[in-house]
Amino acid sequence: RLEHERRDPATVTLNGRLYFFTGPRITDINDRHLKLWATDGTAQGTRPVQDLLPASAVMDHMTLSAVPGRLFFTAWSSGTTGRELWTSDGTAEGTRLVRDVQPGGASGLRMTAALVPFGDSVLFAAEDSLNDSELWKSDGTEAGTVRLKDIAPGSKGSFPLVLGRCGDAMLFSADGPEGRELWRTDGTEEGTRLLRDVRAGAESSNPTFAAVLGSTCFFTADDGQHGRALWKTDGTEAGTRQVSDLVPGPAEPVLSQFTVLGDTLLFLVNDGGQLELWKTDGTEAGTLPVKPLPRDREPYTSEPTLVRAGARVYYVSRGVGSGTQLWVTDGTSAGTRIIPLEQAGEPVVPRFLAAWGEELVFITAPNMWGSELWRTDGIAGGTYRLARLPSERNFTPTKLLPFGDALLVTSGDPFAGLALWRLDRDATAPAFQGCPAHLDVAATNPQGTEMHLPPPALTGGQAPFTVRTSHPEGTPLSMPMSFGVRYQAEDAQGRVAACVIDVAVRDLTPPVFKGCPTQLTLNARSPKGALVFYPGIQVMEESGGDILVTYSPEDGSLLPLGTTRMTMTAQDRAGNTSTCSFPVTVRDEQPPAPACKVSEVRVEAEGPDGAHASWPEQTSADNVSSQTTVTSTHASGDLFPLGITPVQFTSIDEAGNSRTCEIRVKVRDSRPPVLNCPADVALKTAVMAGTRAEYPLATALDVVSQTELSYSPEPGTLLAPGVHSVRVTALDAAGNAALCSFKVAVEYDPTADMQRGLGCSVGSGPSSGASWAALLLLGWTLSRRRKGAAPDA
């Protein structure tokens, strides 16, 4: 049996034994009567070891530390040595004062001094004169207890704070000429140096240690420009640099709970308004938020604790409307989820998380009388109750301590008082089956009833059994009150099973809901979700008394996308309650707006293959989804054939809703051919009736289709003397026509046939000129003959 613990004193392991403190509850900071105990995990090996110290010395229970083969702690001796450093090998003979740093009654170490193991030594802050606090090192001997470096010479002191180990060195912060900055030490004076002046000048960056990931050590600091940010170091000044400015600007976010998970470092960031889970791989690009934690009613005053067990990390969060929930994460947003915890329809609230092997264990309080131990492997099916703990309101467990293959719990009950309990992974231990956390007993008279509950069934264990109860048969149970009815069974091997039932005697006729739906489905009207009102549900009470109906969430609440459980609770005057609870799913079934900005695009054909058609960018909006995706059967700028081609555009929102619209691309050939007519033509004929039309052919060009030429009059048509207009028509495949004309002059000339016989032509050019010259010569010759013939006559 133990005395009541104060809070969470230090526990260490040395040579296979666990050392821990216990004692009466402390109300005065100067009252230091906690006692040191040790255990090897057995009842025989569990004993107080307070006799390690002389009666005049009081050990500081928060400073206990261990290195291989040795304990270190601080202890205070009034009027002799003050508060100084002590060491022990676990025996009274091997327990001694290491060194009186400030000789006499003055204290060389402060009450809050932390002793940090470093190899086979410890590092700590000590004062060899008033307020001259510097970094010291001790290997447990007086000669090996020395100051490492006088960082702030004189009486001011650097007040070092050991942060954590980084490779073969230890990081610490200290006040120097550069302000409070990051230092390192390898345990020697030469190896104790400023690592980097993060905030240049005399102002302080106030570094705090984070964690070690591989060969990289992480810490947080404020360089005066980026606020509190994440930094890393490899132990050199050049390798000490900022990883990421998590909250841009000079903000001072709180970074905490750094936990290594594989090759990722998880941590919490609290910027005052929102608490988020972040991760980093040591690069700026790889430092990003994983998931926000549910908002509490008030800004977070203390962050949840991240606990790694196996390949997962667990934490407990509190949110408005969601309550206290257990979360598990694998370092990804999709892998960060709630582990459902429920027993008999009621949520289970986890407390005091601890890793036990590859699993997580935690304590719950199913009622005000007792506690339970639960375990989980990170999945719903692997989460269940391990055991009920011997406990009561005055002896509630506050710590789970893995020790070897067992789990140690400090707890107690009215049968044994406060004691150290051990839980093994033993399936043959005794256990109560069907031990409910709560049990309502109907009143049998106006005052209440009597105890007539049979003990829960007992399984496992080794006979004979000793079973005890706090409420024997016939014990009066008053109404309205609750009773913690306890059962405890101990088998022949001393293994104990516990059961605590919260028994309430009351009027057990609850109100009745009529018309409670099984589920409701609503469509969202905005990204925030939808306003939801409770349907008309009738509540009836047999006694006819007043009924108080409460709603969670409130009627008319804005529910987000997804499924939210809505609950109506009815309570009568006797305190009987009943609930109508149903899931409400707010989903996005509204398709996005059509993406088509035009209904038709008309383009002129560029060639026989059609034309390239373009249109404005087609975008779509959605009232609920922040993003929509638009796909189409054709792209703007594609080549389209002649005619009408439908182009379909499909808009899809984040919920998978889609809407299709269509643009008609019309490629037409409306341009007529390019027609060129020949020059005017002059014809001569010796026939009074005229001559057949002879003229050069026109030319026509169309980039889209073949053209057909027609002439009026057509070649070969008989043309009478005079001027005739020849009309040429060019018609393409689309029916586009081009017109031109030229003139054909037909002149009657009796000598035309003679001229043709002489090879004359009715044209122009050198050959035509020679012909006309020959014709004139012939005419002149004939004329001379006629003139010469006259005299002869």
Side-chain angles (χ1 to χ4, degrees), residues 545-578:
D546 295 333
I547 302 173
L548 175 64
V549 180
T550 57
Y551 303 88
S552 178
E554 294 295 331
D555 196 25
S557 295
L558 179 64
L559 298 190
L561 287 166
T563 299
T564 302
R565 180 161 290 276
M566 301 185 69
T567 302
M568 295 177 60
T569 302
Q571 183 176 11
D572 61 16
R573 287 181 297 181
N576 301 311
T577 61
S578 59

Side-chain angles (χ1 to χ4, degrees), residues 378-693:
I379 59 177
T383 304
Y384 54 85
R385 184 181 66 200
L386 274 177
R388 294 185 183 271
L389 300 176
S391 61
E392 61 171 331
R393 283 182 293 181
N394 294 329
F395 299 102
T396 57
T398 58
K399 190 172 184 180
L400 297 171
L401 187 63
F403 184 66
D405 294 331
L407 193 67
L408 301 184
V409 182
T410 303
S411 185
D413 61 15
F415 305 120
L418 184 65
L420 182 65
W421 301 82
R422 171 177 174 152
L423 177 68
D424 293 298
R425 299 180 186 269
D426 185 359
T428 65
F432 284 107
Q433 299 298 312
C435 177
H438 304 275
L439 185 63
D440 292 331
V441 176
T444 58
N445 56 65
Q447 289 72 37
T449 188
E450 294 180 348
M451 181 68 182
H452 297 293
L453 295 177
L458 188 64
T459 62
Q462 180 178 337
F465 298 96
T466 302
V467 179
R468 292 179 287 187
T469 179
S470 59
H471 291 71
E473 181 77 10
T475 301
L477 302 177
S478 302
M479 182 182 72
M481 290 184 65
S482 293
F483 302 88
V485 179
R486 306 175 183 277
Y487 298 94
Q488 183 168 296
E490 183 175 353
D491 70 355
Q493 296 184 15
R495 296 175 295 183
V496 174
C499 171
V500 182
I501 306 174
D502 181 24
V503 175
V505 183
R506 62 182 62 186
D507 174 10
L508 297 181
T509 306
V512 177
F513 285 96
K514 289 189 175 182
C516 183
T518 57
Q519 63 178 5
L520 292 178
T521 301
L522 300 174
N523 291 329
R525 291 291 180 261
S526 73
K528 296 181 179 179
L531 291 175
V532 180
F533 296 89
Y534 286 82
I537 302 172
Q538 186 178 8
V539 186
M540 302 184 65
E541 166 63 23
E542 291 183 1
S543 65
D546 295 333
I547 302 173
L548 175 64
V549 180
T550 57
Y551 303 88
S552 178
E554 294 295 331
D555 196 25
S557 295
L558 179 64
L559 298 190
L561 287 166
T563 299
T564 302
R565 180 161 290 276
M566 301 185 69
T567 302
M568 295 177 60
T569 302
Q571 183 176 11
D572 61 16
R573 287 181 297 181
N576 301 311
T577 61
S578 59
T579 59
C580 166
S581 184
F582 50 92
V584 176
T585 301
V586 179
R587 59 189 180 187
D588 177 10
E589 288 192 339
Q590 182 179 13
C596 301
K597 300 298 184 293
V598 295
S599 60
E600 185 176 81
V601 175
R602 299 180 182 180
V603 293
E604 189 67 28
E606 301 167 357
D609 294 330
H612 294 81
S614 300
W615 48 80
E617 181 183 2
Q618 308 299 300
T619 58
S620 176
D622 190 90
N623 290 340
V624 179
S625 298
S626 60
Q627 293 183 347
T628 57
T629 303
V630 179
T631 60
S632 60
T633 56
H634 298 75
S636 179
D638 280 357
L639 180 66
F640 290 83
L642 287 165
I644 296 176
T645 301
V647 179
Q648 289 188 340
F649 292 83
T650 302
S651 305
I652 304 176
D653 63 17
E654 294 173 323
N657 302 309
S658 65
R659 176 171 288 178
T660 301
C661 62
E662 184 177 285
I663 293 178
R664 298 197 318 160
V665 176
K666 187 175 183 180
V667 181
R668 58 185 181 181
D669 179 9
S670 62
R671 293 194 183 99
V674 178
L675 179 62
N676 292 313
C677 275
D680 293 343
V681 177
L683 299 178
K684 288 190 176 185
T685 179
V687 181
M688 289 293 295
T691 184
R692 295 186 182 276

Side-chain angles (χ1 to χ4, degrees), residues 20 153 194 272 515 607:
F20 61 98
L194 177 68

